[in-house]
């Protein structure tokens, strides 16, 4: 079964977590044969929303986070169960 593990961080903590810590987590899951993909995301102030409505394309700034935390990255894993 595939699981998408989302990593949320407060904006002021986005760069406080050492890259090595994230890489170690991914490396451990990769060694166990669980990791399918993992990527950090850019901060929300660089985000764009792409929509197609009625055959027309629109690109706007955002989405803007309504919370103090933002989606910082993800791990996609394939595991036997959620444990």
């Amino acid at each position: 079964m595939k699981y998408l593990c989302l990593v949320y961080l407060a904006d002021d903590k986005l760069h406080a977590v050492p890259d090595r810590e994230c890489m170690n987590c991914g490396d451990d899951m990769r060694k166990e044969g669980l990791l399918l993909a993992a990527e950090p995301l850019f901060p929300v102030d660089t985000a764009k929303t792409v929509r197609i409505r009625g055959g027309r394309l629109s690109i706007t700034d955002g989405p803007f986070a309504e919370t103090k935390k933002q989606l910082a990255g993800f791990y996609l894993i394939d595991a036997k169960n959620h444990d």
Side-chain angles (χ1 to χ4, degrees), residues 1-82:
M1 183 168 292
K2 291 183 177 75
Y3 295 91
L4 182 62
C5 306
L6 304 177
V7 179
Y8 284 93
L9 291 171
D11 189 40
D12 61 339
K13 304 277 192 241
L14 189 59
H15 299 290
V17 178
D19 289 342
R20 188 74 226 148
E21 186 176 328
C22 296
M23 290 178 69
N24 288 344
C25 181
D27 287 345
D28 289 345
M29 287 188 283
R30 189 176 292 108
K31 287 176 190 171
E32 293 180 38
L34 302 172
L35 188 64
L36 299 176
E39 292 291 333
L41 302 178
F42 286 105
V44 294
D45 61 350
T46 66
K48 301 288 183 198
T49 298
V50 178
R51 289 186 176 100
I52 299 176
R53 290 193 178 145
R56 297 187 66 170
L57 173 71
S58 75
I59 301 173
T60 57
D61 289 340
F64 298 102
E66 298 290 330
T67 66
K68 293 181 181 182
K69 292 185 178 181
Q70 67 182 37
L71 182 58
F74 70 89
Y75 295 96
L76 177 61
I77 62 172
D78 192 4
K80 292 179 184 178
N81 58 52
H82 66 276

